[in-house]
Amino acid sequence: RVIIDECQEPLCMGSDDADESAMSSKRSSCAVRELLGIAHPDVASRPLLAQRGVFGLTGTPLLSSPARITELASLCAGTYVTGASNHWRTVERASGRDLFLRYHDAVPSRLYSAETVRAAQDFVRAATRRNVVEESVPSSTVLVPARLKQDSEYAALCATYPSVPLCPDADACDDAKWNRLALAAATAAERGAALKACVQRIHDAEPLAKVLVFAPTDGIEAAASAVAGLGLPTDVARPGEGQERAAELVLEFDEPPTELSVAQRKCRVLLLAYDDGAGLNLQHGCHHVILYAPLSSPPKDGERVIAAVGKEQQSIGRVRRAGQSSHVTIHRIVLEGPGGERTLDGLLHERNMDEALIKSATNTAE
């Protein structure tokens, strides 16, 4: 196992970068990227390789962007990366894991001290697997079709590009058109009906089940509108909202569902952005994950493709992790053309579920 301290710092800097620090917004200025050679999809060609186990890469970055925190957590595979836009201790205290911090404080008795040390050791053991999908937990994937209407914004946008069909050619479509199509697909109103039908099927089969929904940041408001229309107790943790509130939502949602909690109208559906999924434990209260829309990235940008695949895997790993006692079901909402034609969604889901890319994104060894 390789441990890299201050993994957010650049290892190699030219004279022009001498003033850069951990607050740098440059995507390449990061020891994780440099040492892993993350731009190389072929794991065998990277500078560092693990013959057994996974890499342990650690740091406490207080960066300017939550997206960088999430990316580090994805790249670091088996290690918990602390840090956020706001001070990370706020989240630790609110999440009930402050015992780890108290290990350094004065304690009133040996018994309390021993219990605190035990809790700290348990926390460290759990932390080393915090951002990994546990493959030992059984899971299955269900594709949920969302049929576009003839006059949909996505279909209309494709019509304005004569050379771009409903499912664009990844090699021929330029990045600007790709990004506009991805935004139109992520915010398509037809996804809302598919989400409602999906949640209804889950609750018909499992009346007590809780459902975790992930959406891209650009599509979070469209997803929030769809969730609000479910007629169930729901919560939305929007990016940039208070971290203490988000921590409270997560703690309550992770409680195992009971008939009493349903009668008390406690949250049944929680919506999060992919960027806010790093490090959360939700395996005790939920075993259904809905990916409202796939994470898109221009296909010619290998680094961003790998980062997108890593974020999706990390989101799934919020429930597919150690401590999960149920079969995990991942529901992927897939946008289809008016006649069932393949769209950008089909291409993205196929890409983001590719085993070779997943291995590259999470950097886990066999």
Side-chain angles (χ1 to χ4, degrees):
R1 178 170 297 191
V2 179
I3 309 293
I4 303 176
D5 193 22
E6 301 297 342
C7 67
Q8 79 282 359
E9 291 279 11
L11 291 179
C12 307
M13 291 191 296
S15 58
D16 294 338
D17 299 320
D19 294 331
E20 295 286 352
S21 68
M23 300 299 287
S24 170
S25 61
K26 300 173 86 173
R27 293 177 59 83
S28 59
S29 297
C30 171
V32 177
R33 286 183 165 277
E34 294 175 55
L35 284 170
L36 294 184
I38 201 65
H40 299 287
D42 180 11
V43 176
S45 67
R46 294 180 176 179
L48 287 180
L49 293 174
Q51 297 303 317
R52 310 194 94 161
V54 297
F55 281 105
L57 300 147
T58 185
T60 52
L62 298 176
L63 304 181
S64 57
S65 166
R68 292 200 68 200
I69 296 292
T70 304
E71 182 192 30
L72 281 178
S74 295
L75 297 179
C76 289
T79 296
Y80 180 50
V81 179
T82 59
S85 294
N86 299 314
H87 199 285
W88 65 275
R89 183 160 182 168
T90 302
V91 181
E92 294 299 313
R93 180 177 294 113
S95 66
R97 296 197 296 263
D98 206 36
L99 278 175
F100 178 64
L101 301 174
R102 292 182 192 172
Y103 172 62
H104 301 287
D105 298 337
V107 291
S109 70
R110 290 184 179 180
L111 179 61
Y112 183 84
S113 177
E115 182 63 20
T116 302
V117 171
R118 185 198 62 76
Q121 291 170 339
D122 288 344
F123 172 71
V124 171
R125 279 193 291 269
T128 59
R129 301 294 294 172
R130 193 166 299 282
N131 293 305
V132 180
V133 169
E134 293 288 354
E135 295 186 0
S136 60
V137 176
S139 71
S140 58
T141 299
V142 177
L143 300 182
V144 181
R147 189 67 62 90
L148 283 168
K149 296 178 181 177
Q150 291 287 354
D151 58 349
S152 68
E153 180 182 349
Y154 179 86
L157 188 59
C158 289
T160 63
Y161 303 139
S163 60
V164 178
L166 286 175
C167 184
D169 185 334
D171 296 323
C173 187
D174 64 66
D175 289 357
K177 290 180 181 178
W178 180 278
N179 289 333
R180 284 195 288 271
L181 286 170
L183 178 60
T187 57
E190 289 82 358
R191 289 188 189 279
L195 174 66
K196 186 173 183 178
C198 182
V199 173
Q200 186 61 54
R201 282 194 297 272
I202 292 171
H203 283 162
D204 285 346
E206 302 175 49
L208 300 182
K210 291 184 178 181
V211 180
L212 180 63
V213 183
F214 280 100
T217 302
D218 289 341
I220 195 75
E221 292 305 323
S225 297
V227 167
L230 293 175
L232 292 167
T234 61
D235 277 312
V236 179
R238 289 180 172 81
E241 287 187 342
Q243 292 192 11
E244 288 192 14
R245 177 182 177 275
E248 289 173 0
L249 291 179
V250 168
L251 276 175
E252 181 179 310
F253 193 76
D254 194 40
E255 296 175 359
T258 63
E259 292 184 2
L260 178 60
S261 66
V262 172
Q264 292 174 336
R265 301 287 294 173
K266 289 190 175 182
C267 178
R268 305 285 302 283
V269 181
L270 177 63
L271 170 63
L272 297 170
Y274 286 109
D275 286 343
D276 292 337
L280 300 181
N281 286 316
L282 294 167
Q283 72 273 32
H284 304 104
C286 176
H287 58 275
H288 286 279
V289 182
I290 298 178
L291 303 187
Y292 186 75
L295 273 175
S296 66
S297 55
K300 300 170 188 175
D301 189 336
E303 291 187 14
R304 292 175 66 185
V305 167
I306 291 174
V309 173
K311 282 185 184 180
E312 278 199 8
Q313 286 302 303
Q314 188 173 155
S315 299
I316 294 168
R318 299 315 92 218
V319 298
R320 192 185 175 196
R321 59 190 308 99
Q324 176 61 260
S325 59
S326 302
H327 181 99
V328 173
T329 306
I330 302 108
H331 309 263
R332 291 176 174 267
I333 296 180
V334 184
L335 210 61
E336 295 181 345
E341 303 93 334
R342 181 179 165 94
T343 68
L344 180 66
D345 264 34
L347 187 65
L348 289 174
H349 281 301
E350 183 179 286
R351 183 196 71 182
N352 294 354
M353 294 170 66
D354 182 80
E355 290 296 330
L357 277 178
I358 290 173
K359 186 176 180 180
S360 296
T362 55
N363 199 56
T364 53
E366 295 179 356

